[in-house]
Amino acid sequence: RRPAYAEAHARVDTGRGDVDLSARTVQAAWNRRAIAVAAGERSYAIEVGSAIVRDRLGVLTAEATKTLVVTDRNVLAAHGSTLAAALPGAEPLELEPGEQHKTPRALEQIWRAALAHDLDRESTLVAFGGGVVSDITGFAAATWMRGTRWLAVPTTLLAMVDASVGGKTAVDLDDSKNSVGAFWQPAGVLCDIALLSTEPQRGFVSALSEVVKTALIGDPELLDLLEARADAVVARDPSSLIEIVLRSVAVKARIVSLDERESGLRRVLNLGHTIGHALEASTGYRCYTHGEAVSLGLVAALQVGQRLGVTSHPTSERVRGLLMRLGLPVELRANGLDDALAILGRDKKRQGTYIHFVMVSAPGRVETQLLPLEQLRRLAQLN
């Protein structure tokens, strides 16, 4: 029964003989809006709500021999009081913010901090920050003592709907994005939308491209919701945010549960990312945010899909219109696109001279084809 228990949303120890305590514990677990990522012994729950970090982070780290919180300077300035209330006495490690600092050097900083704090295999690393912090911290956890426990507390919308879920951890190597990493699932994720109140507007809006991507992959009702509530979502209406985070996480959790290590189905999550990642890398991670690059990557994927007869013109126009309503870029520039297409061969999804490319067949349905790199370059070029 152990593997089945491991995949539950929560586990309650009833061996203490206190029926009332067990009942209260079960009720509390039921009240948490948690989504389970079913991965056998590596299963974990993703909790979504408002102002949940102060109550839950201490509980999730209670059994660790030691806890090291990894964050960055900007996040600590904005949410240091929340972290201090959740983990009194914690001395977080501050990384330099930004994708350009997602490097092996940052990874070494965490290793050295773990060594200085005498972390063992029963210790816990906490990623308190955006996608960069989550990716680096998760990779550090995968490699420290050959694997230790870690928790994700995403502080950006992008990290909540993408980076903190699924166990993909990595650093960049020069212009090769996420080329060095490991699959290492967190022990838990806390998506506290109250933390989004201080996120800069550009970062928040750009993350909505990942939500659109998720809707296209597996939740057409989420696409309808985004169209109906676009203004409320951009204005950070709490109920709308909780709904889009829950729905996005549910889609990704379902896919990760079926394909933990990206051997097949999980490739669909790369919709918009093949050319999006190349756009980021070709501009030195300084021109676009990740979400902006994904938005442009989605536009390119729609174009490729149309040229191959996979994507209909109405579907393409519908998605472009929604991206524009959400404040995301949709106009590809020829010179920037040419530079991006030139480095597609460094993509992790490449197989020899071919690459797995994801296209939209209908809202909620995608199709992956193994395309020759040269054919993809031709199909993606602007007329």
Side-chain angles (χ1 to χ4, degrees):
R1 291 175 292 179
R2 183 175 174 179
Y5 289 163
E7 293 189 347
H9 290 73
R11 293 181 292 279
V12 178
D13 180 6
T14 60
R16 290 169 289 185
D18 189 331
V19 176
D20 289 337
L21 176 60
S22 296
R24 290 195 299 273
T25 305
V26 169
Q27 183 68 47
W30 176 260
N31 289 336
R32 289 195 296 273
R33 302 190 74 171
I35 295 170
V37 177
E41 298 287 327
R42 298 174 302 284
S43 299
Y44 56 97
I46 304 161
E47 300 177 34
V48 181
S50 182
I52 60 175
V53 168
R54 294 182 185 228
D55 294 331
R56 294 293 297 153
L57 186 54
V59 174
L60 294 176
T61 57
E63 296 183 5
T65 53
K66 290 189 176 181
T67 299
L68 175 63
V69 178
V70 181
T71 186
D72 68 38
R73 183 175 61 250
N74 294 342
V75 172
L76 194 61
H79 301 294
S81 59
T82 298
L83 181 60
L87 295 176
E91 298 179 5
L93 170 65
E94 291 182 55
L95 301 180
E96 288 295 316
E99 182 78 28
Q100 66 270 30
H101 298 293
K102 187 178 163 183
T103 64
R105 182 179 179 182
L107 183 66
E108 184 179 353
Q109 284 183 261
I110 301 177
W111 287 336
R112 293 197 177 279
L115 183 65
H117 287 79
D118 198 25
L119 266 63
D120 57 28
R121 282 187 172 176
E122 303 305 314
S123 299
T124 295
L125 290 172
V126 176
F128 189 74
V132 171
V133 168
S134 178
D135 281 0
I136 302 174
T137 305
F139 191 22
T143 49
W144 180 252
M145 297 287 178
R146 296 197 176 111
T148 191
R149 185 173 180 268
W150 74 290
L151 298 167
V153 184
T155 59
T156 66
L157 181 60
L158 179 62
M160 289 184 188
V161 300
D162 184 45
S164 64
V165 182
K168 275 188 176 181
T169 70
V171 295
D172 303 334
L173 192 61
D174 296 329
D175 61 1
S176 184
K177 186 176 174 70
N178 296 331
S179 57
V180 185
F183 288 96
W184 191 250
Q185 301 295 345
V189 180
L190 294 177
C191 293
D192 187 342
I193 65 154
L195 299 175
L196 300 179
S197 63
T198 60
E199 183 175 12
Q201 185 70 358
R202 183 183 180 189
F204 175 84
V205 167
S206 70
L208 294 173
S209 65
E210 288 283 359
V211 182
V212 174
K213 177 208 78 172
T214 302
L216 292 170
I217 288 169
D219 189 351
E221 291 182 3
L222 176 56
L223 200 67
D224 296 337
L225 184 151
L226 286 169
E227 290 174 324
R229 301 193 201 170
D231 293 340
V233 169
V234 173
R236 310 191 198 197
D237 169 63
S239 62
S240 297
L241 288 183
I242 288 177
E243 186 69 17
I244 67 170
V245 171
L246 276 170
R247 298 189 78 106
S248 297
V249 166
V251 171
K252 188 165 186 180
R254 182 171 70 248
I255 292 170
V256 170
S257 296
L258 295 170
D259 182 13
E260 183 183 355
R261 299 182 67 82
E262 200 172 33
S263 58
L265 173 64
R266 189 167 174 173
R267 290 193 186 109
V268 302
L269 293 172
N270 291 311
L271 174 65
H273 285 61
T274 300
I275 293 175
H277 279 169
L279 283 166
E280 283 186 277
S282 66
T283 55
Y285 304 105
R286 290 180 173 84
C287 182
Y288 304 108
T289 66
H290 173 71
E292 289 166 350
V294 168
S295 180
L296 293 171
L298 284 172
V299 171
L302 292 167
Q303 174 179 292
V304 172
Q306 279 190 261
R307 290 177 174 177
L308 288 175
V310 175
T311 308
S312 70
H313 180 71
T315 295
S316 181
E317 288 304 298
R318 180 186 180 189
V319 176
R320 281 177 59 97
L322 176 58
L323 292 171
M324 290 176 65
R325 282 190 64 199
L326 295 171
L328 289 157
V330 296
E331 298 299 330
L332 289 159
R333 296 196 302 269
N335 56 346
L337 181 60
D338 289 343
D339 291 341
L341 295 177
I343 64 171
L344 279 180
R346 300 175 191 174
D347 192 281
K348 299 182 299 303
K349 298 171 288 301
R350 177 179 61 84
Q351 287 185 208
T353 58
Y354 289 77
I355 192 166
H356 291 278
F357 193 76
V358 188
M359 293 165 283
V360 180
S361 55
R365 294 203 311 273
V366 291
E367 177 181 316
T368 302
Q369 290 189 19
L370 190 60
L371 299 177
L373 276 167
E374 285 308 313
Q375 181 188 13
L376 176 57
R377 289 188 180 109
R378 290 196 303 272
L379 291 168
Q381 285 175 343
L382 301 176
N383 291 328

